[in-house]
């Protein structure tokens, strides 16, 4: 598999080889700020992280003070992690092991005052959708509203006064028991707030997920929480600008992108897409990817003429957050479990809209008309020839 799996992070390489004065200018160009604004992590949170072998990093995005509005400060947590048990272990053993790991991370997030936390795509299981096998992987599916994972998350959300986004493999028990790739949103009161089903399903490389579920039917919901308006653009949807656009049209202030993607396939795109979406739509984005290599008992192929294999390479982590002005945090490790804590002033969304005018100048009617024509079978591209 292409890529250096032993490289911990791009930021470490930059800091190791670039002199401090040049590094400030490099960071300004790459990250939109000469020096990231860090949050000091508490000793208690660091102790939990050390005991449970994960990183905790904290950063801050600021906005200008306004005359009529108070700052709207929210702390957001993003979790990247590897699986715990073997993929050959019983389903309940694998899931419960992840419950144990993630509970510790959420405890650290609570100590850092996190208001909204998002877990990675299909966090309760290995990303087994590459195998195309139905057993035992379909057994991980559960009801979004009343399933074991949702009940577990509800307790933690209520305990910590924290909105938690829990992406799972959903089984729709009221409609034929079909499966969906779904993000469940639990409010800070511990109540089920709603769900979003993945809009775009990949059919590339090892990612042939339509063996299990198809394109979602929930549109582009934005969830009004006690801490701001949030949305979830699940994994492959980040490759589709229209998907990001509609969450903005519906009023999102923070859009999370819980993902599962490997280095040889998508890493050059990773740092661009969620950041570009934040700029184009004047909201905050949080891109989350898992870490580790997951090996399965049986070989599978990618349809690329390469030999069959039991894993599809390492997930590269690199979770990061971007502000609507284009500034972004450094990424978490490419290898290690981690919690990214980002403090945001949501007033920045409107301030950037006023300054850049992207929403003002986006001309939705023009594109709505053009796309309506382009979607018809008899459409002819608008090409001018001599």
């Amino acid at each position: 598999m292409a890529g250096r799996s032993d490289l911990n992070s791009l930021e470490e390489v930059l800091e190791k080889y670039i002199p401090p004065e040049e590094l400030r200018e490099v960071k300004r160009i790459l990250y939109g700020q000469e020096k990231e604004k860090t949050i000091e992590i508490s000793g208690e949170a660091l102790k939990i992280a050390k005991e449970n072998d994960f990183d905790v990093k904290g950063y801050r995005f600021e906005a200008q003070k306004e005359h009529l509005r108070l700052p709207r400060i929210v702390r957001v947590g993003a979790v990247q992690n590897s699986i715990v048990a073997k993929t050959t272990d019983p389903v309940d053993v694998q899931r419960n092991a992840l419950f144990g790991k993630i509970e510790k991370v959420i405890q650290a997030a609570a100590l850092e005052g996190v208001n909204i936390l998002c877990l990675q795509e299909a966090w309760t299981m290995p990303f087994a959708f590459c195998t195309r096998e139905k057993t035992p992987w379909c057994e991980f599916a559960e009801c979004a509203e009343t399933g074991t994972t949702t009940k577990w998350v509800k307790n933690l959300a209520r305990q910590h006064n924290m909105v938690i986004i829990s992406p799972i493999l959903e089984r729709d028990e009221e409609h034929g028991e079909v499966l969906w790739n779904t993000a469940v949103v639990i409010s800070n009161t511990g109540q089920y707030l709603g769900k979003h089903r993945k809009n775009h399903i990949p059919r590339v490389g090892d990612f042939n997920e339509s063996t299990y579920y198809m394109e979602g039917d929930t549109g582009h919901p934005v969830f009004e929480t006690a801490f701001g308006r949030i949305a979830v653009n699940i994994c492959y949807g980040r490759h589709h600008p229209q998907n990001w656009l509609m969450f903005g049209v519906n009023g999102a202030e923070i859009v999370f992108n819980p993902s599962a993607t490997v280095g040889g396939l998508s890493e050059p795109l990773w740092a661009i897409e969620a950041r570009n979406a934040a700029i184009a739509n004047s909201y905050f984005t949080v891109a989350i990817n898992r870490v580790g290599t997951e090996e399965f008992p049986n070989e599978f192929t990618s349809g690329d003429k390469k030999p069959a294999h039991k894993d599809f390479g390492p997930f590269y982590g690199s979770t990061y957050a971007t502000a609507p002005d284009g500034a972004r945090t450094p990424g978490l490790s490419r290898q290690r479990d981690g919690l990214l804590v980002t403090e945001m002033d949501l007033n920045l969304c409107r301030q950037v809209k006023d300054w850049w005018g992207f929403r003002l100048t986006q001309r939705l009617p023009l594109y709505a008309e053009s796309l309506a024509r382009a979607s018809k079978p008899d459409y002819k591209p608008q090409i001018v020839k001599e």
Side-chain angles (χ1 to χ4, degrees), residues 16 49 83 95 115 142 246 253 273 278 289 310 326 359:
K16 181 177 181 180
I83 59 173
R95 185 178 62 192
N115 307 117
E142 53 188 298
M246 287 307 303
E253 296 171 307
E273 290 169 313
N289 186 27
K310 292 188 175 183
R359 294 295 298 271

Side-chain angles (χ1 to χ4, degrees), residues 327-346:
R328 58 153 286 181
T329 70
L332 289 181
S333 169
R334 296 175 73 252
Q335 302 175 355
R336 290 175 47 77
D337 291 1
L339 166 66
L340 176 67
V341 179
T342 309
E343 185 174 285
M344 306 168 175
D345 185 343
L346 299 184

Side-chain angles (χ1 to χ4, degrees), residues 48-345:
I48 292 175
K50 183 176 181 180
E51 290 174 349
N52 295 278
D53 197 27
F54 64 89
D55 296 331
V56 184
K57 303 290 184 182
Y59 303 96
R60 175 184 293 109
F61 293 126
E62 298 175 345
Q64 294 182 13
K65 290 185 178 180
E66 299 185 13
H67 293 276
L68 301 179
R69 293 194 303 174
L70 295 173
R72 299 178 60 218
I73 305 299
V74 58
R75 281 203 175 185
V76 168
V79 181
Q80 65 176 42
N81 62 273
S82 56
I83 59 173
V84 182
K86 296 178 181 179
T87 59
T88 51
D89 286 344
V91 167
D92 59 338
V93 171
Q94 294 187 56
R95 185 178 62 192
N96 290 338
L98 282 163
F99 283 178
K101 171 182 276 197
I102 296 304
E103 185 170 13
K104 299 298 184 182
V105 182
I106 292 177
Q107 287 177 3
L111 289 169
E112 293 310 303
V114 165
N115 307 117
I116 306 170
L117 180 135
C118 186
L119 301 168
Q120 66 195 21
E121 182 184 19
W123 75 271
T124 63
M125 61 183 292
F127 208 75
F129 311 125
C130 55
T131 67
R132 304 182 187 87
E133 299 169 341
K134 297 302 178 73
T135 58
W137 317 121
C138 290
E139 292 187 49
F140 282 96
E142 53 188 298
C143 178
E145 291 80 6
T146 62
T148 299
T149 298
T150 294
K151 291 177 181 177
W152 185 83
V153 170
K154 281 182 173 182
N155 289 331
L156 289 173
R158 186 184 307 110
Q159 176 185 344
H160 298 303
N161 189 33
M162 183 188 298
V163 174
I164 300 179
I165 301 167
S166 174
I168 63 168
L169 180 62
E170 177 195 2
R171 185 177 295 281
D172 188 347
E173 296 178 347
E174 295 185 354
H175 298 90
E177 297 193 339
V178 297
L179 304 185
W180 302 92
N181 186 319
T182 300
V184 181
V185 181
I186 304 299
S187 78
N188 59 305
T189 63
Q191 298 301 308
Y192 170 84
L193 185 57
K195 65 186 175 186
H196 173 56
R197 291 168 172 165
K198 186 172 181 176
N199 275 334
H200 298 275
I201 308 303
R203 297 161 178 85
V204 55
D206 285 320
F207 294 85
N208 289 279
E209 299 168 33
S210 55
T211 301
Y212 301 89
Y213 44 76
M214 298 300 288
E215 285 75 12
D217 60 357
T218 53
H220 296 86
V222 171
F223 302 93
E224 185 83 53
T225 76
F227 309 110
R229 296 188 301 274
I230 65 173
V232 192
N233 180 0
I234 303 174
C235 197
Y236 195 72
R238 73 181 179 278
H239 303 309
H240 296 269
Q242 300 91 337
N243 208 40
W244 292 105
L245 169 68
M246 287 307 303
F247 292 119
V249 168
N250 287 335
E253 296 171 307
I254 310 169
V255 180
F256 295 88
N257 178 225
S259 299
T261 183
V262 293
L265 179 67
S266 64
E267 197 164 10
L269 310 178
W270 178 252
I272 301 169
E273 290 169 313
R275 189 180 186 188
N276 188 62
I279 297 167
N281 297 289
S282 302
Y283 51 47
F284 291 90
T285 60
V286 184
I288 305 164
N289 186 27
R290 61 174 66 195
V291 292
T293 300
E294 300 171 0
E295 184 171 314
F296 298 95
N298 302 313
E299 291 185 335
F300 52 89
T301 61
S302 303
D304 58 4
K305 300 182 181 179
K306 293 182 180 179
H309 42 278
K310 292 188 175 183
D311 70 75
F312 52 130
F315 299 100
Y316 55 80
S318 305
T319 296
Y320 71 98
T322 299
D325 62 1
R328 58 153 286 181
T329 70
L332 289 181
S333 169
R334 296 175 73 252
Q335 302 175 355
R336 290 175 47 77
D337 291 1
L339 166 66
L340 176 67
V341 179
T342 309
E343 185 174 285
M344 306 168 175
D345 185 343

